[in-house]
Amino acid sequence: MMSEDQRVEDTTEEHRSAEEIAREARRLWQEYGPRAAEGTLKNRDRRAIPQMAMPAQDPAERRCNQMEVPLGYTEEQARLEALRCLNCPTAPCIAGCPVAIDIPRFLLQAAAGKFQDSINTIKEASLLPAVCGRVCPQESQCMLECTVGKVAKDPMQSVAIGRVERYVADLEREEDRVEVPAVGPDTGFRVGVVGSGPAGLTVAADLRKAGHQVEIFEAFHKPGGVMIYGIPEFRLPKEIVRKEIEGLEKMGVTFHLNFLIGRTRTIEDLIRKDHFDALFIGSGAGLPKFMEIPGENLVGVFSANEYLTRANLMKAYDREHVDTPIYESRVVAVLGGGNVAMDAARMALRLGAEEVHVIYRRTRREMPARVEEVDHAHEEGIRFHFLSSPVEILGDEQGRVRAIRCQRYELGEPDDSGRRRPVPVEGDFFEMTVDTVIPSLGNVANPLIRKTTDNLETNKWGNIVVDEHNRTSLDRVYAGGDIVLGAATVILAMGEGRRAAAAITEDLRSGRWEKKG
Amino acid sequence: MNRITEKKQLSSDVFRMTFEAPYIAEARKAGQFLIIQLDDNYGERIPLTIADADEAKGTITIIFQAVGKTTLSLAALEEGQAIANVLGPLGTPTHIENWGTAVCVGGGIGVAPMHPIVQAVRKAGNKVITIMGARNRELLILEEEMRRWSDEVIICTDDGSYGRKDLVTAPLKELCDAGVPHIVFAIGPPIMMKFAAETTRPYGVRTMVSLNTIMVDGTGMCGGCRVTVGNDTKFVCMDGPEFDGHLVDFDNMMSRQKAYLKQEAGARDKCGIGRRHDE
């Protein structure tokens, strides 16, 4: 049936069981552990320690369940991996981290088995280590700068910083040692936070620590934003997000769910009627892009947002108990090459699709998805079609998807960014029989707040314009995360949130905004 | 939150329910709608239209037909109980101005969302002619309310048990022939809205329809509600729910409405609520 079956090159190894991986780590630990304790480990020795493989569920099993794919390091693995850090005097990894976590320090502490110290170090800079350890694109951040990877000329060979981060964060949570951060003395200020995704949660935590009253407004019936509706359970267990929310509740942050700013109340209402002293807008980039090709409104075409929201937030995978339906697909085409595309493709597989095809205009090298997600997708049997771009979705007489027509591309001259630009090959088309198409082409800023707030400056893409302290053009109103950056990452949203919270506290203390209420 | 203060069964499967939702009661405007969900973990999110609101009491009134699992379960809630999750008001409010004479066509349960529009259109100084349609007299809703806000009311039933034995498009065509309407609003089943738009098209009378499509979030995030309007794709939850009926691709919309027909029937059969003994 396939006219084009251009799979990714097989870079992944045979699946190894968690027990086997753990056994090997125990053996290595006997070799390196005592020497590390004596302090006799040389850089040469550290470089000889192989990168610790992440144990994972067997692909044949996991493609039928929603459980998390990577199982997490054992203690020996975490300590061995942390031992690979060379403690370079310049610590280039820190510069690679959007929130500047003191990476060598937390690795040193982890290697020494001081796991509480290690997680405390991370938490000085990051609010959501268990989340970021899982979903950060480490290979283009800290691992890109890591000397170990530089020497190997492969960032994937760097110290697996995120995996150690995940280990120490999980250990603290699983052993129930997570402490609710101390709340400062009441300042009398009230701050409203719009959206409960990574940016909003970070702002809320920092503001509450500073002693302000904090109220979060969330449109959905559950808090967590993209971490709840977008990222699947198999990549980010919802229990982790729930614990983070619980922590904020214990700190005294109030959540208003089913509350859509721009409709239930406007930004102006919150200031004028509800007397908030300051507001932070972290409403995310929630408007799915489509390709604008014929057939996109046929039955069987779903934005990745819709598909994943049905599956994750609405738990449509639990067909026995849940009311929200999800389309019954046999052959699925996912359009795009980012993390969301990988999530949608792998979800479709888990919901029973027989074949899932990812169609991407460039090549594997240019895919914006995390390397690990692409590897996992490939291991699970997702098929990739590179240098191909859909031109039309074809329907049957009932208006349902029956096929997708694509044009082949080739790599042309490099563009301004140095990447070779894909150019269409004239007259070279192919058709695939599919019943479901999931465009995963990213999101643009949701226009609701822009349209319902006078004098709020936005750029030509509809993102809110902020200064270096995340202040918007409106007094008392700050913004951060995807609504400012365009579609970005959890950690960048968190970085924005921290900066905004610091600015809000500073501006309230200094009397920049007169106290309300 | 969302405590039900009043519930009344209007016909065999149509219910009117009033519940506390002060923010929504304060903010809502004609043309807007809600999304409700009955259970955080297992419930489906469904859009429902607003039939009325009382800002002073902080209440919202909905009128709905119990046809699917969620609406059947909603109908089973009693006064004093609460609807777990209510989000709103959603959608862009109806654009209201003084056009002269407005003809408001409501079919079946579509009379409910027409009620706030008739009020707003009348308050803006328009003459209002309301055409109400139902399968039979028993299924006709809000007659008294619509008479209160309309200058003239024309009633049609399919079986002739009340008013004219006609489709709503018959009096609509007569009014167009007489050059009466400056604007038409039509809300009802998709097929009724489609034919209302076809009726007015030759006369060039602007005809606004209010669409009720499948939705998940209702905030523009999922795009499940998208419809083809002219050459554009529009989101009912954000750009709508009202669109120029002459530009809406009703056939596409109706096929999209049927996307989950099989699963929905399964859920209804499973739920066991409202199932008649002979079924």
Side-chain angles (χ1 to χ4, degrees):
Chain A
M1 182 205 74
M2 305 298 310
S3 55
E4 180 86 339
D5 190 1
Q6 199 183 346
R7 298 183 184 213
V8 283
E9 70 276 33
D10 198 348
T11 54
T12 45
E13 293 153 23
E14 191 75 350
H15 180 74
R16 289 162 68 210
S17 74
E19 292 72 28
E20 189 188 332
I21 293 172
R23 232 181 355 256
E24 189 182 301
R26 270 198 301 276
R27 188 182 55 74
L28 281 169
W29 182 249
Q30 281 163 8
E31 183 182 343
Y32 289 100
R35 292 175 59 204
E38 290 161 13
T40 56
L41 217 55
K42 298 275 187 298
N43 270 359
R44 194 178 55 239
D45 305 317
R46 293 175 190 273
R47 287 221 297 271
I49 304 173
Q51 191 190 54
M52 295 293 109
M54 175 58 103
Q57 269 199 78
D58 190 317
E61 281 168 29
R62 74 190 192 222
R63 53 175 286 171
C64 304
N65 69 47
Q66 293 285 333
M67 290 185 292
E68 190 174 18
V69 170
L71 301 169
Y73 277 165
T74 60
E75 179 177 337
E76 287 93 354
Q77 281 188 288
R79 295 181 71 173
L80 279 164
E81 190 58 35
L83 279 181
R84 294 180 68 225
C85 173
L86 303 176
N87 266 297
C88 329
T90 54
C93 49
I94 300 179
C97 174
V99 297
I101 295 172
D102 190 340
I103 294 166
R105 183 152 58 99
F106 97 71
L107 288 175
L108 199 67
Q109 289 161 331
K114 295 175 180 165
F115 299 121
Q116 189 61 49
D117 292 346
S118 179
I119 186 65
N120 291 346
T121 299
I122 298 174
K123 283 185 172 176
E124 287 169 18
S126 169
L127 183 84
L128 304 165
V131 176
C132 292
R134 288 171 164 83
V135 305
C136 255
Q138 286 95 1
E139 67 265 23
S140 55
Q141 296 178 355
C142 50
M143 286 172 75
L144 184 67
E145 306 300 333
C146 172
T147 309
V148 177
K150 287 256 155 101
V151 172
K153 294 194 171 65
D154 178 7
M156 294 309 289
Q157 291 308 312
S158 296
V159 179
I161 296 164
R163 294 175 181 176
V164 181
E165 178 185 28
R166 169 184 163 159
Y167 177 79
V168 294
D170 284 0
L171 190 70
E172 185 194 36
R173 190 184 62 255
E174 283 157 12
E175 294 186 349
D176 220 9
R177 283 188 278 106
V178 179
E179 281 179 25
V180 177
V183 173
D186 187 8
T187 61
F189 291 112
R190 277 174 74 227
V191 187
V193 174
V194 181
S196 63
L201 295 184
T202 306
V203 169
D206 279 1
L207 290 173
R208 193 70 196 113
K209 283 184 215 162
H212 313 304
Q213 281 184 51
V214 182
E215 298 180 31
I216 296 185
F217 298 90
E218 166 58 46
F220 267 129
H221 54 279
K222 280 183 190 167
V226 71
M227 298 182 289
I228 286 289
Y229 72 73
I231 306 176
E233 177 78 16
F234 58 77
R235 202 151 73 83
L236 177 63
K238 300 306 145 216
E239 179 62 15
I240 292 170
V241 185
R242 206 184 57 77
K243 286 270 187 190
E244 296 294 345
I245 308 282
E246 210 178 87
L248 285 174
E249 284 171 341
K250 284 184 186 156
M251 288 170 76
V253 172
T254 310
F255 286 84
H256 302 277
L257 305 177
N258 302 303
F259 207 112
L260 180 60
I261 300 305
R263 293 275 188 239
T264 314
R265 274 280 205 246
T266 61
I267 292 289
E268 197 195 337
D269 288 338
L270 292 177
I271 293 172
R272 207 168 42 81
K273 295 183 185 169
D274 301 323
H275 311 295
F276 280 98
D277 295 295
L279 295 174
F280 174 81
I281 305 173
S283 52
L287 202 74
K289 277 195 234 175
F290 288 88
M291 294 198 68
E292 295 176 20
I293 56 173
E296 253 176 335
N297 292 346
L298 289 167
V299 178
V301 184
F302 306 94
S303 75
N305 284 2
E306 178 180 3
Y307 197 77
L308 290 170
T309 301
R310 283 179 182 274
N312 298 327
L313 176 76
M314 309 306 293
K315 298 189 173 52
Y317 58 81
D318 186 1
R319 291 197 179 97
E320 271 302 292
H321 302 102
V322 163
D323 297 339
T324 302
I326 197 146
Y327 205 62
E328 280 172 23
S329 308
R330 209 176 62 76
V331 185
V332 179
V334 175
L335 317 180
N339 286 318
V340 177
M342 294 305 102
D343 288 344
R346 297 169 68 197
M347 182 60 83
L349 203 69
R350 283 160 172 76
L351 293 174
E354 291 162 27
E355 284 176 28
V356 180
H357 303 269
V358 170
I359 301 174
Y360 182 53
R361 202 162 56 103
R362 297 175 185 254
T363 70
R364 181 172 186 177
R365 278 182 47 168
E366 288 86 18
M367 281 177 81
R370 296 176 81 225
V371 169
E372 189 182 68
E373 311 310 331
V374 184
D375 286 345
H376 284 159
H378 177 245
E379 289 163 9
E380 289 164 13
I382 307 281
R383 301 184 197 173
F384 290 81
H385 306 264
F386 295 114
L387 292 168
S388 307
S389 186
V391 290
E392 186 179 3
I393 303 167
L394 307 161
D396 64 16
E397 55 284 357
Q398 271 109 47
R400 291 179 174 246
V401 172
R402 67 168 177 83
I404 188 164
R405 187 171 151 79
C406 302
Q407 182 163 24
R408 285 199 181 79
Y409 275 60
E410 60 191 2
L411 289 179
E413 296 301 309
D415 61 15
D416 296 342
S417 69
R419 295 199 302 180
R420 289 180 66 191
R421 190 199 302 271
V423 287
V425 182
E426 211 174 310
D428 194 352
F429 296 93
F430 66 96
E431 211 174 285
M432 284 168 64
T433 303
V434 298
D435 53 43
T436 306
V437 177
I438 307 177
S440 313
L441 308 158
N443 288 283
V444 291
N446 189 305
L448 183 58
I449 288 179
R450 171 166 53 89
K451 284 185 176 167
T452 55
T453 313
D454 290 337
N455 305 317
L456 180 67
E457 195 191 334
T458 53
N459 65 19
K460 64 176 172 178
W461 299 283
N463 297 113
I464 297 175
V465 176
V466 296
D467 69 9
E468 69 275 20
H469 300 289
N470 288 69
R471 294 184 196 112
T472 69
S473 57
L474 289 178
D475 284 359
R476 302 179 188 276
V477 181
Y478 301 72
D482 281 3
I483 191 67
V484 167
L485 301 169
T489 57
V490 168
I491 193 147
L492 283 171
M494 203 173 70
E496 291 259 304
R498 300 218 74 172
R499 199 165 58 214
I504 291 170
T505 294
E506 172 57 29
D507 289 349
L508 290 174
R509 280 196 186 133
S510 70
R512 186 185 179 103
W513 320 123
E514 199 185 319
K515 193 168 170 348
K516 309 262 292 187
Chain B
M1 287 280 270
N2 314 326
R3 197 176 62 92
I4 298 163
T5 56
E6 210 187 324
K7 174 188 163 185
K8 194 175 175 211
Q9 186 160 5
L10 302 182
S11 67
S12 61
D13 61 356
V14 176
F15 294 80
R16 185 174 70 205
M17 212 174 241
T18 299
F19 58 90
E20 293 164 351
Y23 284 112
I24 302 174
E26 182 186 335
R28 70 94 206 191
K29 292 196 171 70
Q32 292 187 296
F33 62 95
L34 310 168
I35 280 190
I36 67 137
Q37 186 194 26
L38 301 180
D39 183 281
D40 280 4
N41 289 312
Y42 303 112
E44 180 181 17
R45 293 167 66 96
I46 60 161
L48 284 180
T49 57
I50 299 172
D52 208 353
D54 187 328
E55 194 181 333
K57 286 188 193 153
T59 59
I60 286 285
T61 299
I62 53 175
I63 296 180
F64 61 93
Q65 196 167 10
V67 284
K69 162 134 193 223
T70 303
T71 44
L72 284 164
S73 307
L74 179 62
L77 293 180
E78 299 298 340
E79 288 173 15
Q81 289 185 288
I83 303 170
N85 296 305
V86 180
L87 175 69
L90 301 173
T92 305
T94 308
H95 171 75
I96 302 282
E97 59 178 87
N98 189 348
W99 295 277
T101 298
V103 173
C104 298
V105 186
I109 202 79
V111 173
M114 189 60 91
H115 180 230
I117 295 173
V118 165
Q119 291 182 41
V121 169
R122 175 71 176 270
K123 282 179 187 164
N126 293 281
K127 181 181 176 189
V128 178
I129 301 174
T130 296
I131 304 173
M132 298 168 64
R135 285 209 305 278
N136 56 48
R137 181 169 194 163
E138 197 227 341
L139 296 173
L140 196 74
I141 56 168
L142 293 172
E143 183 188 347
E144 192 187 315
E145 288 84 348
M146 296 304 261
R147 285 198 187 279
R148 191 182 312 147
W149 290 99
S150 310
D151 295 273
E152 189 185 338
V153 172
I154 302 165
I155 292 171
C156 300
T157 51
D158 294 355
D159 65 353
S161 55
Y162 191 46
R164 291 171 58 161
K165 184 178 190 295
D166 250 328
L167 296 172
V168 290
T169 44
L172 178 61
K173 182 166 190 312
E174 291 159 18
L175 289 168
C176 288
D177 277 334
V180 172
H182 297 105
I183 186 154
V184 170
F185 289 90
I187 311 180
I191 195 77
M192 184 215 94
M193 293 192 280
K194 177 181 172 175
F195 282 104
E198 287 315 314
T199 303
T200 59
R201 190 192 298 276
Y203 303 92
V205 180
R206 187 168 173 80
T207 300
M208 300 305 290
V209 296
S210 180
L211 307 182
N212 190 340
T213 51
I214 292 172
M215 287 183 192
V216 183
D217 61 298
T219 68
M221 205 271 298
C222 84
C225 64
R226 65 196 191 279
V227 287
T228 311
V229 180
N231 293 321
D232 299 322
T233 290
K234 297 281 186 190
F235 286 12
V236 171
C237 70
M238 295 288 282
D239 306 310
E242 285 169 21
F243 296 100
D244 182 339
H246 295 152
L247 297 177
V248 172
D249 181 344
F250 282 102
D251 294 338
N252 175 243
M253 179 197 145
M254 285 186 272
S255 64
R256 289 181 60 79
Q257 284 296 85
K258 292 180 195 142
Y260 299 105
L261 220 52
K262 209 166 56 178
Q263 288 105 311
E264 281 161 4
R268 190 175 53 229
D269 294 346
K270 238 177 13 194
C271 89
I273 301 168
R275 211 185 310 177
R276 287 190 219 109
H277 295 294
D278 52 357
E279 277 182 292

